Amino acid sequence: MAVTQPPDNSTQSNYAKVATEHISFAWTIDWKEKKIAGSATHTLRAKEDGVKEIIFDTFALNVKSAEVEGKAVSYNLGKHHEVMGSALSLPLPSSLQKGSTVTAKVEYETTLSGQALQWLEPEQTQGKQFPYLFSQCQAILARAVTPIQDTPSLKITYDAHVSSILPVLMSAKRVSPPSSGPPHGGKVIGKDVVTYVYKQPTAIPSYLLAIASGNVHYRAFDVPEGKEWTSGVWTEPEMLEQAHWEFKEDTTRNLALEESVIMPYKFGVYDVLVLPPTFPFGGMENACCTFLTPSIIAGDRSLVDVVVHELTHSWFGNGVTAHSAHYWLNEGWTTYMERVLLSKLHSEAERGFSYLIGYKALKDSLKEYEDMPKYQRLIIEMEVGEDPDDAYSQVPYEKGANFLLYLESVLGGLDVFLPYASDYAKTFMGQSIITDQWRDHLYNYFRTRGMDDKVKALDTVDWNAWLHGEGLALPVENKYDTTLAKPVYALAERWDKARGKDVKELDFTDSDVKSFSSNQKVLLLDTLQSYQPLPLSHVSLLGSLYGLDSSGNAEIRFRFYLVALLDPSSDSSKHYGSIAAKWVVGEDGSGVIKGRMKFCRPTFRAVYKVDKQLAWETWKKSKGGFHPLAQKMIEKDLELA
Ligand code: BES
Ligand code: ZN
């Protein structure tokens, strides 16, 4: 069936008329000036006759010169749009015909006004000796790294030569110096310039372009026999041992399992890079090299689900890529599959438990968007220039995963659903698609196999409610396995009932949570948030008795503060407001900014509700240490922007 894809309203580029197929980057990392300087040479193909210009997206780039087919051209850099940046247009030879290729080279530099790159001072790293640089291009910031047609509807290959005095990583395969050789090709780190060569022969969407440079070292994971990929971890030497231990089992095991369920891994390399704590996400599925927050190095592998999530994107997102408005196809599918792996490697109870924790996050997101019901939808049609960062929430993840879980049950369970999922991935591998293409394939999969009962089952689905529905409820509630949640709910209820009693009379002990996993503590705190606020005396006891107020696991710690700050005008809030504020900016002795937005944004928002002045003052002092993206979002949260 022919499906026409709508335009991507977040790009100003003319990718439908002439489209980049390959980019060659030649970059130098200038640590003194904090910029990447060099060139991007695009090979483009005309999609129609007589295209007059190439339009790239740029964001706060300093463009120096441009060439088309090796000849200097006069280019035009359009007016800066706050979200979309400036359109850069280069004239094309008038004779260009549909199907023919053309090269275009732009010399440029990045600037500090772009939000894709964070430049860290040595003090902000583990080693405190060398500076550090990393990119975050999703959703639409590849354009702040290079002129590019910045849309997930287009896929490109690339190669890169990057010179730096510190080791360089990219979302591609290392050509030289070899990853497994001596760090920095045996040269002196921090002093000698080494040119790193990378190649990404598999076409990827622009948001997967990534670079990092710093004192990062490599340690390989053992890979099951017969695999054609390698896998390992990169991080500063101070963290290498811990990071390797944390991920060495689950990374390769889950990658291999995903291969057996879906299809072979096709990027050749699956590495993870553990970044400094200002990294604003839990993980980012950059091709060949997932970027990770160090906050998931818990020492007990309790937070490895983030890696499982990111590696799952290799199929759902990086392989089959969603058109921007259909972003749920990336995150919903990935969240769903991540939990399928969980059920296979652990238990159905674990899968259900994961959905329960996600459910609370979904409800919170839906509530937050009560004034913006459009963002409660699975498919979000973005206006031209609308900021995708404003639409970012748990909705595509959790509504999406619940939708697929619902379809799984409608179709008769995993035995039916997983072979279909595999066919879906194989069918669209390498393409960018919209929801209609996904649904057409779903129907066709069962229709062409003569499985009429399944087709009938699909006809019972309220597609419109799932895909375009707003509001706080799911069209259909799924039933989750609650085995692991039951003891948690029982304990939460005991606390709820204890609220009226004097704290001295309470019979809670630390053994209440002795058998609890970290995730069960997470659910305990989530559940307490759904009750009336507890008095300060009880919150203090809860925090100290179970070690929640001092937990090194940020998933637990920030939720404890949310419980403590539940009623902004309470004594509990007065007491814990400043403690939470100190924690989030690392003034409590932990010395580390909690840069992952999942932790810092809700914490700042909660403190803000308690004491605006405190939130603003805390922010003013520490803002500079946060990632540009986190800065942008927190300033919105604190009504400063
Ligand atoms: N691709 C996302 C991160 C992202 C989304 C960055 C949109 C920028 C814009 C990544 O795969 C992700 O979902 N990360 C989660 C991990 C979690 C769901 C396990 C995160 O960072 O919290
Ligand atoms: Zn994701």
Side-chain angles (χ1 to χ4, degrees), residues 18-259:
V18 53
T20 296
E21 289 183 348
H22 183 83
I23 312 179
S24 291
F25 299 109
W27 288 341
T28 299
I29 300 180
D30 182 338
W31 291 97
K32 279 208 189 77
E33 299 282 316
K34 297 195 166 108
K35 65 190 184 192
I36 296 177
S39 66
T41 305
H42 292 243
T43 305
L44 304 101
R45 193 175 297 276
K47 302 280 167 179
E48 53 188 50
D49 287 339
V51 196
K52 296 205 168 47
E53 56 179 352
I54 306 164
I55 308 176
F56 295 123
D57 293 298
T58 71
F59 192 104
L61 295 179
N62 189 357
V63 176
K64 305 254 157 134
S65 66
E67 287 173 11
V68 170
E69 293 289 274
K71 283 202 200 80
V73 292
S74 67
Y75 56 87
N76 181 57
L77 195 58
K79 206 172 139 242
H80 177 77
H81 180 282
E82 212 185 334
V83 174
M84 291 195 293
S86 319
L88 171 67
S89 69
L90 277 55
L92 280 173
S94 56
S95 54
L96 198 68
Q97 284 187 352
K98 179 176 174 176
S100 55
T101 60
V102 61
T103 59
K105 177 176 179 182
V106 182
E107 299 262 1
Y108 70 97
E109 293 169 353
T110 61
T111 69
L112 291 173
S113 319
Q115 293 147 10
L117 302 175
Q118 188 177 21
W119 298 84
L120 298 175
E121 300 298 335
E123 305 78 66
Q124 291 173 284
T125 66
Q126 278 283 325
K128 320 245 176 267
Q129 207 187 338
F130 302 106
Y132 203 109
L133 159 71
F134 67 86
S135 67
Q136 168 58 43
C137 289
Q138 202 179 12
I140 55 164
L141 281 168
R143 63 192 71 178
V145 177
T146 178
I148 196 164
Q149 295 181 310
D150 198 5
T151 169
S153 297
L154 185 66
K155 294 202 179 184
I156 54 159
T157 55
Y158 79 81
D159 62 73
H161 289 69
V162 185
S163 301
S164 172
I165 54 166
L166 294 171
V168 173
L169 295 181
M170 290 195 79
S171 53
K173 292 187 199 172
R174 178 82 75 87
V175 177
S176 70
S179 300
S180 50
H184 209 42
K187 295 283 181 8
V188 181
I189 292 176
K191 183 164 164 282
D192 296 337
V193 175
V194 171
T195 299
Y196 286 80
V197 182
Y198 276 92
K199 213 182 184 76
Q200 182 47 271
T202 305
I204 55 167
S206 57
Y207 71 83
L208 294 179
L209 179 67
I211 182 164
S213 187
N215 185 26
V216 290
H217 294 224
Y218 178 71
R219 213 167 138 192
F221 299 136
D222 291 333
V223 169
E225 225 161 288
K227 293 296 178 195
E228 285 180 4
W229 38 264
T230 62
S231 185
V233 59
W234 296 90
T235 195
E236 291 183 68
E238 293 80 3
M239 287 266 277
L240 194 56
E241 183 62 40
Q242 284 160 280
H244 185 264
W245 184 86
E246 199 85 21
F247 305 126
K248 68 173 177 182
E249 300 289 333
D250 296 272
T251 307
T252 52
R253 183 192 292 152
N254 280 282
L255 205 64
L257 179 60
E258 187 101 38
E259 283 193 307

Side-chain angles (χ1 to χ4, degrees), residues 136-139 207 279-285 305-307 309-310 313 327 331 334-335 338 389 392 394 397 596-598 629:
Q136 168 58 43
C137 289
Q138 202 179 12
Y207 71 83
F279 182 59
F281 290 95
M284 175 64 215
E285 67 273 28
D305 57 326
V306 176
V307 179
H309 177 95
E310 304 312 333
H313 273 306
Y327 176 66
E331 297 302 345
T334 293
T335 303
E338 172 202 337
D389 294 333
Y392 181 81
Q394 290 307 302
Y397 294 77
R596 184 175 176 191
M597 292 194 288
K598 179 179 182 182
L629 180 64

Side-chain angles (χ1 to χ4, degrees), residues 82 115 387 390 608 616 619 623 630-641:
E82 212 185 334
Q115 293 147 10
D387 191 348
D390 290 337
Y608 186 59
W616 283 331
W619 177 242
K623 172 182 167 179
Q631 288 190 24
K632 175 177 105 172
M633 300 316 284
I634 291 172
E635 302 234 301
K636 286 189 192 188
D637 293 339
L638 302 186
E639 298 176 281
L640 293 168

